Amino acid sequence: MPTVEAIDDAAVILHLEIEVSEVNRPKLLEFCKRAFPVYESLGGCRMALYEDRDKTGSFDEVGYYQTAEDYTRSEKAIEDDPEQAALIKEWRSLLKGPPRVRIVSRRL
């Protein structure tokens, strides 16, 4: 399946602004190394993790989706695929609170 090679290839970008405690920071980094390939395995998606340079433990987890259909398929997998559902449950257990979610779509 195709994958997003560059940000310009993304029709939909998912931003998950999250915070983790100091003790959970290394756990989140390890988690993302395991989870991102699973999320990306559906195709049409590239995941990235950015940390705020001024606030350790504050992250922007970003999903770049090649098409709106790729985004929809990915969201459905989180609900329907037991492996992905378990990953989301584990991810939420690492967070200080609920993520701030922003979804943007390319218009030009």
Side-chain angles (χ1 to χ4, degrees), residues 47-78:
M47 298 296 299
L49 184 68
Y50 304 94
E51 187 171 17
D52 188 320
R53 294 175 76 174
D54 297 323
K55 189 176 179 186
T56 300
S58 182
F59 292 92
D60 188 11
E61 191 173 326
V62 182
Y64 300 97
Y65 296 88
Q66 193 166 26
T67 66
E69 292 78 18
D70 292 326
Y71 171 75
T72 300
R73 184 177 60 249
S74 177
E75 287 297 298
K76 186 167 174 28
I78 290 170

PDB file of all heavy atoms in Angstrom, residues 47-78:
ATOM      1  N   MET A  47       3.391   8.223  10.766  1.00  0.00           N
ATOM      2  CA  MET A  47       3.293   8.759  12.119  1.00  0.00           C
ATOM      3  C   MET A  47       4.606   9.440  12.504  1.00  0.00           C
ATOM      4  O   MET A  47       5.676   9.015  12.079  1.00  0.00           O
ATOM      5  CB  MET A  47       2.992   7.646  13.127  1.00  0.00           C
ATOM      6  CG  MET A  47       1.679   6.931  12.912  1.00  0.00           C
ATOM      7  SD  MET A  47       0.218   7.965  13.099  1.00  0.00           S
ATOM      8  CE  MET A  47       0.366   8.479  14.808  1.00  0.00           C
ATOM      9  N   ALA A  48       4.507  10.475  13.339  1.00  0.00           N
ATOM     10  CA  ALA A  48       5.686  11.169  13.848  1.00  0.00           C
ATOM     11  C   ALA A  48       5.384  11.671  15.252  1.00  0.00           C
ATOM     12  O   ALA A  48       4.221  11.936  15.599  1.00  0.00           O
ATOM     13  CB  ALA A  48       6.058  12.336  12.938  1.00  0.00           C
ATOM     14  N   LEU A  49       6.428  11.799  16.048  1.00  0.00           N
ATOM     15  CA  LEU A  49       6.294  12.298  17.411  1.00  0.00           C
ATOM     16  C   LEU A  49       7.253  13.463  17.587  1.00  0.00           C
ATOM     17  O   LEU A  49       8.448  13.347  17.290  1.00  0.00           O
ATOM     18  CB  LEU A  49       6.627  11.195  18.423  1.00  0.00           C
ATOM     19  CG  LEU A  49       6.437  11.551  19.891  1.00  0.00           C
ATOM     20  CD1 LEU A  49       4.950  11.739  20.206  1.00  0.00           C
ATOM     21  CD2 LEU A  49       7.040  10.475  20.786  1.00  0.00           C
ATOM     22  N   TYR A  50       6.715  14.593  18.054  1.00  0.00           N
ATOM     23  CA  TYR A  50       7.499  15.793  18.291  1.00  0.00           C
ATOM     24  C   TYR A  50       7.362  16.171  19.758  1.00  0.00           C
ATOM     25  O   TYR A  50       6.268  16.109  20.314  1.00  0.00           O
ATOM     26  CB  TYR A  50       6.995  16.954  17.423  1.00  0.00           C
ATOM     27  CG  TYR A  50       6.983  16.648  15.943  1.00  0.00           C
ATOM     28  CD1 TYR A  50       5.839  16.170  15.316  1.00  0.00           C
ATOM     29  CD2 TYR A  50       8.133  16.824  15.178  1.00  0.00           C
ATOM     30  CE1 TYR A  50       5.830  15.887  13.960  1.00  0.00           C
ATOM     31  CE2 TYR A  50       8.124  16.542  13.819  1.00  0.00           C
ATOM     32  CZ  TYR A  50       6.971  16.074  13.212  1.00  0.00           C
ATOM     33  OH  TYR A  50       6.964  15.793  11.869  1.00  0.00           O
ATOM     34  N   GLU A  51       8.460  16.572  20.377  1.00  0.00           N
ATOM     35  CA  GLU A  51       8.422  17.010  21.774  1.00  0.00           C
ATOM     36  C   GLU A  51       8.671  18.506  21.845  1.00  0.00           C
ATOM     37  O   GLU A  51       9.557  19.036  21.162  1.00  0.00           O
ATOM     38  CB  GLU A  51       9.459  16.269  22.618  1.00  0.00           C
ATOM     39  CG  GLU A  51       9.345  16.579  24.098  1.00  0.00           C
ATOM     40  CD  GLU A  51      10.211  15.691  24.980  1.00  0.00           C
ATOM     41  OE1 GLU A  51      11.143  15.044  24.458  1.00  0.00           O
ATOM     42  OE2 GLU A  51       9.946  15.651  26.191  1.00  0.00           O
ATOM     43  N   ASP A  52       7.899  19.172  22.665  1.00  0.00           N
ATOM     44  CA  ASP A  52       8.060  20.606  22.902  1.00  0.00           C
ATOM     45  C   ASP A  52       9.472  20.854  23.447  1.00  0.00           C
ATOM     46  O   ASP A  52       9.858  20.256  24.457  1.00  0.00           O
ATOM     47  CB  ASP A  52       7.005  21.080  23.901  1.00  0.00           C
ATOM     48  CG  ASP A  52       6.968  22.588  24.058  1.00  0.00           C
ATOM     49  OD1 ASP A  52       8.041  23.226  24.083  1.00  0.00           O
ATOM     50  OD2 ASP A  52       5.857  23.125  24.180  1.00  0.00           O
ATOM     51  N   ARG A  53      10.217  21.707  22.813  1.00  0.00           N
ATOM     52  CA  ARG A  53      11.598  21.967  23.219  1.00  0.00           C
ATOM     53  C   ARG A  53      11.678  22.673  24.562  1.00  0.00           C
ATOM     54  O   ARG A  53      12.695  22.595  25.243  1.00  0.00           O
ATOM     55  CB  ARG A  53      12.300  22.811  22.155  1.00  0.00           C
ATOM     56  CG  ARG A  53      12.448  22.056  20.850  1.00  0.00           C
ATOM     57  CD  ARG A  53      13.022  22.913  19.792  1.00  0.00           C
ATOM     58  NE  ARG A  53      14.455  23.063  20.032  1.00  0.00           N
ATOM     59  CZ  ARG A  53      15.276  23.671  19.213  1.00  0.00           C
ATOM     60  NH1 ARG A  53      14.824  24.200  18.106  1.00  0.00           N
ATOM     61  NH2 ARG A  53      16.552  23.762  19.495  1.00  0.00           N
ATOM     62  N   ASP A  54      10.605  23.343  24.940  1.00  0.00           N
ATOM     63  CA  ASP A  54      10.611  24.111  26.185  1.00  0.00           C
ATOM     64  C   ASP A  54       9.873  23.423  27.321  1.00  0.00           C
ATOM     65  O   ASP A  54       9.880  23.922  28.449  1.00  0.00           O
ATOM     66  CB  ASP A  54      10.000  25.500  25.954  1.00  0.00           C
ATOM     67  CG  ASP A  54      10.807  26.315  24.959  1.00  0.00           C
ATOM     68  OD1 ASP A  54      12.055  26.217  24.983  1.00  0.00           O
ATOM     69  OD2 ASP A  54      10.194  27.041  24.157  1.00  0.00           O
ATOM     70  N   LYS A  55       9.220  22.301  27.046  1.00  0.00           N
ATOM     71  CA  LYS A  55       8.420  21.643  28.070  1.00  0.00           C
ATOM     72  C   LYS A  55       8.540  20.125  27.925  1.00  0.00           C
ATOM     73  O   LYS A  55       7.785  19.491  27.197  1.00  0.00           O
ATOM     74  CB  LYS A  55       6.952  22.078  27.959  1.00  0.00           C
ATOM     75  CG  LYS A  55       6.102  21.623  29.097  1.00  0.00           C
ATOM     76  CD  LYS A  55       4.691  22.178  28.976  1.00  0.00           C
ATOM     77  CE  LYS A  55       3.838  21.679  30.120  1.00  0.00           C
ATOM     78  NZ  LYS A  55       2.454  22.060  29.968  1.00  0.00           N
ATOM     79  N   THR A  56       9.497  19.546  28.630  1.00  0.00           N
ATOM     80  CA  THR A  56       9.710  18.106  28.583  1.00  0.00           C
ATOM     81  C   THR A  56       8.432  17.368  28.961  1.00  0.00           C
ATOM     82  O   THR A  56       7.758  17.748  29.910  1.00  0.00           O
ATOM     83  CB  THR A  56      10.840  17.705  29.548  1.00  0.00           C
ATOM     84  OG1 THR A  56      12.033  18.387  29.153  1.00  0.00           O
ATOM     85  CG2 THR A  56      11.093  16.210  29.522  1.00  0.00           C
ATOM     86  N   GLY A  57       8.108  16.347  28.181  1.00  0.00           N
ATOM     87  CA  GLY A  57       6.912  15.552  28.442  1.00  0.00           C
ATOM     88  C   GLY A  57       5.670  16.052  27.736  1.00  0.00           C
ATOM     89  O   GLY A  57       4.608  15.449  27.836  1.00  0.00           O
ATOM     90  N   SER A  58       5.812  17.150  27.001  1.00  0.00           N
ATOM     91  CA  SER A  58       4.703  17.685  26.217  1.00  0.00           C
ATOM     92  C   SER A  58       4.979  17.358  24.745  1.00  0.00           C
ATOM     93  O   SER A  58       5.998  17.784  24.187  1.00  0.00           O
ATOM     94  CB  SER A  58       4.592  19.199  26.421  1.00  0.00           C
ATOM     95  OG  SER A  58       3.505  19.717  25.702  1.00  0.00           O
ATOM     96  N   PHE A  59       4.075  16.588  24.135  1.00  0.00           N
ATOM     97  CA  PHE A  59       4.309  16.057  22.796  1.00  0.00           C
ATOM     98  C   PHE A  59       3.183  16.412  21.837  1.00  0.00           C
ATOM     99  O   PHE A  59       2.046  16.638  22.245  1.00  0.00           O
ATOM    100  CB  PHE A  59       4.397  14.528  22.846  1.00  0.00           C
ATOM    101  CG  PHE A  59       5.603  14.002  23.565  1.00  0.00           C
ATOM    102  CD1 PHE A  59       5.550  13.722  24.918  1.00  0.00           C
ATOM    103  CD2 PHE A  59       6.783  13.774  22.884  1.00  0.00           C
ATOM    104  CE1 PHE A  59       6.650  13.220  25.589  1.00  0.00           C
ATOM    105  CE2 PHE A  59       7.903  13.273  23.537  1.00  0.00           C
ATOM    106  CZ  PHE A  59       7.830  12.995  24.896  1.00  0.00           C
ATOM    107  N   ASP A  60       3.533  16.389  20.560  1.00  0.00           N
ATOM    108  CA  ASP A  60       2.564  16.458  19.470  1.00  0.00           C
ATOM    109  C   ASP A  60       2.764  15.173  18.670  1.00  0.00           C
ATOM    110  O   ASP A  60       3.790  14.992  18.020  1.00  0.00           O
ATOM    111  CB  ASP A  60       2.815  17.694  18.607  1.00  0.00           C
ATOM    112  CG  ASP A  60       1.739  17.941  17.564  1.00  0.00           C
ATOM    113  OD1 ASP A  60       0.678  17.289  17.619  1.00  0.00           O
ATOM    114  OD2 ASP A  60       1.959  18.800  16.690  1.00  0.00           O
ATOM    115  N   GLU A  61       1.806  14.267  18.783  1.00  0.00           N
ATOM    116  CA  GLU A  61       1.833  13.023  18.026  1.00  0.00           C
ATOM    117  C   GLU A  61       1.034  13.287  16.763  1.00  0.00           C
ATOM    118  O   GLU A  61      -0.117  13.714  16.821  1.00  0.00           O
ATOM    119  CB  GLU A  61       1.191  11.914  18.854  1.00  0.00           C
ATOM    120  CG  GLU A  61       1.387  10.546  18.300  1.00  0.00           C
ATOM    121  CD  GLU A  61       0.889   9.469  19.240  1.00  0.00           C
ATOM    122  OE1 GLU A  61       0.976   9.627  20.480  1.00  0.00           O
ATOM    123  OE2 GLU A  61       0.404   8.454  18.717  1.00  0.00           O
ATOM    124  N   VAL A  62       1.658  13.075  15.611  1.00  0.00           N
ATOM    125  CA  VAL A  62       1.056  13.491  14.351  1.00  0.00           C
ATOM    126  C   VAL A  62       0.916  12.303  13.406  1.00  0.00           C
ATOM    127  O   VAL A  62       1.853  11.532  13.223  1.00  0.00           O
ATOM    128  CB  VAL A  62       1.907  14.602  13.683  1.00  0.00           C
ATOM    129  CG1 VAL A  62       1.250  15.075  12.400  1.00  0.00           C
ATOM    130  CG2 VAL A  62       2.130  15.766  14.635  1.00  0.00           C
ATOM    131  N   GLY A  63      -0.266  12.200  12.824  1.00  0.00           N
ATOM    132  CA  GLY A  63      -0.521  11.216  11.777  1.00  0.00           C
ATOM    133  C   GLY A  63      -0.743  11.951  10.473  1.00  0.00           C
ATOM    134  O   GLY A  63      -1.603  12.828  10.380  1.00  0.00           O
ATOM    135  N   TYR A  64       0.066  11.633   9.481  1.00  0.00           N
ATOM    136  CA  TYR A  64      -0.067  12.209   8.141  1.00  0.00           C
ATOM    137  C   TYR A  64      -0.748  11.166   7.264  1.00  0.00           C
ATOM    138  O   TYR A  64      -0.203  10.075   7.054  1.00  0.00           O
ATOM    139  CB  TYR A  64       1.314  12.549   7.563  1.00  0.00           C
ATOM    140  CG  TYR A  64       2.089  13.547   8.375  1.00  0.00           C
ATOM    141  CD1 TYR A  64       3.051  13.123   9.291  1.00  0.00           C
ATOM    142  CD2 TYR A  64       1.876  14.915   8.234  1.00  0.00           C
ATOM    143  CE1 TYR A  64       3.784  14.030  10.040  1.00  0.00           C
ATOM    144  CE2 TYR A  64       2.600  15.832   8.987  1.00  0.00           C
ATOM    145  CZ  TYR A  64       3.550  15.381   9.885  1.00  0.00           C
ATOM    146  OH  TYR A  64       4.264  16.279  10.628  1.00  0.00           O
ATOM    147  N   TYR A  65      -1.919  11.494   6.735  1.00  0.00           N
ATOM    148  CA  TYR A  65      -2.703  10.542   5.943  1.00  0.00           C
ATOM    149  C   TYR A  65      -2.761  11.010   4.489  1.00  0.00           C
ATOM    150  O   TYR A  65      -3.114  12.162   4.219  1.00  0.00           O
ATOM    151  CB  TYR A  65      -4.122  10.412   6.512  1.00  0.00           C
ATOM    152  CG  TYR A  65      -4.108   9.833   7.901  1.00  0.00           C
ATOM    153  CD1 TYR A  65      -3.987  10.651   9.017  1.00  0.00           C
ATOM    154  CD2 TYR A  65      -4.170   8.460   8.105  1.00  0.00           C
ATOM    155  CE1 TYR A  65      -3.937  10.121  10.303  1.00  0.00           C
ATOM    156  CE2 TYR A  65      -4.125   7.919   9.382  1.00  0.00           C
ATOM    157  CZ  TYR A  65      -4.014   8.759  10.470  1.00  0.00           C
ATOM    158  OH  TYR A  65      -3.957   8.225  11.738  1.00  0.00           O
ATOM    159  N   GLN A  66      -2.455  10.098   3.590  1.00  0.00           N
ATOM    160  CA  GLN A  66      -2.406  10.448   2.174  1.00  0.00           C
ATOM    161  C   GLN A  66      -3.767  10.876   1.638  1.00  0.00           C
ATOM    162  O   GLN A  66      -3.858  11.812   0.848  1.00  0.00           O
ATOM    163  CB  GLN A  66      -1.863   9.272   1.368  1.00  0.00           C
ATOM    164  CG  GLN A  66      -1.492   9.640  -0.040  1.00  0.00           C
ATOM    165  CD  GLN A  66      -0.647   8.566  -0.691  1.00  0.00           C
ATOM    166  OE1 GLN A  66      -0.720   7.404  -0.330  1.00  0.00           O
ATOM    167  NE2 GLN A  66       0.143   8.955  -1.651  1.00  0.00           N
ATOM    168  N   THR A  67      -4.842  10.205   2.090  1.00  0.00           N
ATOM    169  CA  THR A  67      -6.193  10.550   1.631  1.00  0.00           C
ATOM    170  C   THR A  67      -7.148  10.552   2.827  1.00  0.00           C
ATOM    171  O   THR A  67      -6.841   9.985   3.886  1.00  0.00           O
ATOM    172  CB  THR A  67      -6.723   9.523   0.614  1.00  0.00           C
ATOM    173  OG1 THR A  67      -6.900   8.260   1.273  1.00  0.00           O
ATOM    174  CG2 THR A  67      -5.781   9.367  -0.585  1.00  0.00           C
ATOM    175  N   ALA A  68      -8.310  11.129   2.627  1.00  0.00           N
ATOM    176  CA  ALA A  68      -9.350  11.096   3.666  1.00  0.00           C
ATOM    177  C   ALA A  68      -9.781   9.658   3.933  1.00  0.00           C
ATOM    178  O   ALA A  68     -10.082   9.294   5.076  1.00  0.00           O
ATOM    179  CB  ALA A  68     -10.545  11.954   3.240  1.00  0.00           C
ATOM    180  N   GLU A  69      -9.780   8.832   2.908  1.00  0.00           N
ATOM    181  CA  GLU A  69     -10.146   7.427   3.064  1.00  0.00           C
ATOM    182  C   GLU A  69      -9.128   6.689   3.942  1.00  0.00           C
ATOM    183  O   GLU A  69      -9.502   5.826   4.740  1.00  0.00           O
ATOM    184  CB  GLU A  69     -10.272   6.739   1.696  1.00  0.00           C
ATOM    185  CG  GLU A  69     -11.441   7.221   0.868  1.00  0.00           C
ATOM    186  CD  GLU A  69     -11.201   8.581   0.186  1.00  0.00           C
ATOM    187  OE1 GLU A  69     -10.027   9.018   0.052  1.00  0.00           O
ATOM    188  OE2 GLU A  69     -12.192   9.217  -0.198  1.00  0.00           O
ATOM    189  N   ASP A  70      -7.848   7.027   3.793  1.00  0.00           N
ATOM    190  CA  ASP A  70      -6.813   6.419   4.639  1.00  0.00           C
ATOM    191  C   ASP A  70      -7.047   6.783   6.102  1.00  0.00           C
ATOM    192  O   ASP A  70      -6.922   5.939   6.988  1.00  0.00           O
ATOM    193  CB  ASP A  70      -5.411   6.880   4.219  1.00  0.00           C
ATOM    194  CG  ASP A  70      -5.002   6.358   2.855  1.00  0.00           C
ATOM    195  OD1 ASP A  70      -5.394   5.234   2.499  1.00  0.00           O
ATOM    196  OD2 ASP A  70      -4.269   7.083   2.152  1.00  0.00           O
ATOM    197  N   TYR A  71      -7.414   8.032   6.353  1.00  0.00           N
ATOM    198  CA  TYR A  71      -7.699   8.465   7.726  1.00  0.00           C
ATOM    199  C   TYR A  71      -8.907   7.698   8.280  1.00  0.00           C
ATOM    200  O   TYR A  71      -8.864   7.184   9.395  1.00  0.00           O
ATOM    201  CB  TYR A  71      -7.953   9.977   7.790  1.00  0.00           C
ATOM    202  CG  TYR A  71      -8.443  10.404   9.134  1.00  0.00           C
ATOM    203  CD1 TYR A  71      -7.570  10.485  10.214  1.00  0.00           C
ATOM    204  CD2 TYR A  71      -9.792  10.679   9.345  1.00  0.00           C
ATOM    205  CE1 TYR A  71      -8.032  10.844  11.479  1.00  0.00           C
ATOM    206  CE2 TYR A  71     -10.251  11.037  10.593  1.00  0.00           C
ATOM    207  CZ  TYR A  71      -9.368  11.118  11.657  1.00  0.00           C
ATOM    208  OH  TYR A  71      -9.825  11.456  12.901  1.00  0.00           O
ATOM    209  N   THR A  72      -9.969   7.597   7.510  1.00  0.00           N
ATOM    210  CA  THR A  72     -11.179   6.896   7.944  1.00  0.00           C
ATOM    211  C   THR A  72     -10.885   5.428   8.231  1.00  0.00           C
ATOM    212  O   THR A  72     -11.338   4.883   9.244  1.00  0.00           O
ATOM    213  CB  THR A  72     -12.285   7.023   6.870  1.00  0.00           C
ATOM    214  OG1 THR A  72     -12.572   8.420   6.685  1.00  0.00           O
ATOM    215  CG2 THR A  72     -13.548   6.300   7.282  1.00  0.00           C
ATOM    216  N   ARG A  73     -10.111   4.786   7.369  1.00  0.00           N
ATOM    217  CA  ARG A  73      -9.744   3.385   7.565  1.00  0.00           C
ATOM    218  C   ARG A  73      -8.940   3.215   8.861  1.00  0.00           C
ATOM    219  O   ARG A  73      -9.161   2.290   9.635  1.00  0.00           O
ATOM    220  CB  ARG A  73      -8.949   2.868   6.364  1.00  0.00           C
ATOM    221  CG  ARG A  73      -8.608   1.393   6.452  1.00  0.00           C
ATOM    222  CD  ARG A  73      -7.880   0.859   5.222  1.00  0.00           C
ATOM    223  NE  ARG A  73      -6.612   1.534   4.990  1.00  0.00           N
ATOM    224  CZ  ARG A  73      -6.359   2.360   3.976  1.00  0.00           C
ATOM    225  NH1 ARG A  73      -7.290   2.614   3.073  1.00  0.00           N
ATOM    226  NH2 ARG A  73      -5.174   2.925   3.841  1.00  0.00           N
ATOM    227  N   SER A  74      -8.057   4.139   9.121  1.00  0.00           N
ATOM    228  CA  SER A  74      -7.228   4.084  10.328  1.00  0.00           C
ATOM    229  C   SER A  74      -8.085   4.246  11.582  1.00  0.00           C
ATOM    230  O   SER A  74      -7.910   3.514  12.564  1.00  0.00           O
ATOM    231  CB  SER A  74      -6.166   5.179  10.264  1.00  0.00           C
ATOM    232  OG  SER A  74      -5.406   5.207  11.430  1.00  0.00           O
ATOM    233  N   GLU A  75      -8.993   5.166  11.571  1.00  0.00           N
ATOM    234  CA  GLU A  75      -9.877   5.386  12.719  1.00  0.00           C
ATOM    235  C   GLU A  75     -10.759   4.162  12.976  1.00  0.00           C
ATOM    236  O   GLU A  75     -10.987   3.781  14.120  1.00  0.00           O
ATOM    237  CB  GLU A  75     -10.741   6.637  12.502  1.00  0.00           C
ATOM    238  CG  GLU A  75      -9.976   7.930  12.627  1.00  0.00           C
ATOM    239  CD  GLU A  75      -9.420   8.130  14.026  1.00  0.00           C
ATOM    240  OE1 GLU A  75     -10.189   8.217  14.986  1.00  0.00           O
ATOM    241  OE2 GLU A  75      -8.169   8.194  14.142  1.00  0.00           O
ATOM    242  N   LYS A  76     -11.230   3.553  11.902  1.00  0.00           N
ATOM    243  CA  LYS A  76     -12.064   2.355  12.043  1.00  0.00           C
ATOM    244  C   LYS A  76     -11.261   1.202  12.642  1.00  0.00           C
ATOM    245  O   LYS A  76     -11.764   0.443  13.474  1.00  0.00           O
ATOM    246  CB  LYS A  76     -12.648   1.972  10.682  1.00  0.00           C
ATOM    247  CG  LYS A  76     -13.644   0.838  10.729  1.00  0.00           C
ATOM    248  CD  LYS A  76     -14.394   0.749   9.420  1.00  0.00           C
ATOM    249  CE  LYS A  76     -15.303  -0.435   9.311  1.00  0.00           C
ATOM    250  NZ  LYS A  76     -15.871  -0.994  10.472  1.00  0.00           N
ATOM    251  N   ALA A  77      -9.995   1.080  12.254  1.00  0.00           N
ATOM    252  CA  ALA A  77      -9.143   0.009  12.770  1.00  0.00           C
ATOM    253  C   ALA A  77      -8.931   0.127  14.276  1.00  0.00           C
ATOM    254  O   ALA A  77      -8.844  -0.880  14.980  1.00  0.00           O
ATOM    255  CB  ALA A  77      -7.796   0.011  12.049  1.00  0.00           C
ATOM    256  N   ILE A  78      -8.879   1.350  14.777  1.00  0.00           N
ATOM    257  CA  ILE A  78      -8.711   1.553  16.216  1.00  0.00           C
ATOM    258  C   ILE A  78      -9.874   0.931  16.985  1.00  0.00           C
ATOM    259  O   ILE A  78      -9.700   0.417  18.083  1.00  0.00           O
ATOM    260  CB  ILE A  78      -8.566   3.060  16.535  1.00  0.00           C
ATOM    261  CG1 ILE A  78      -7.216   3.562  16.027  1.00  0.00           C
ATOM    262  CG2 ILE A  78      -8.723   3.334  18.016  1.00  0.00           C
ATOM    263  CD1 ILE A  78      -7.063   5.063  16.075  1.00  0.00           C
TER     264      ILE A  78
END
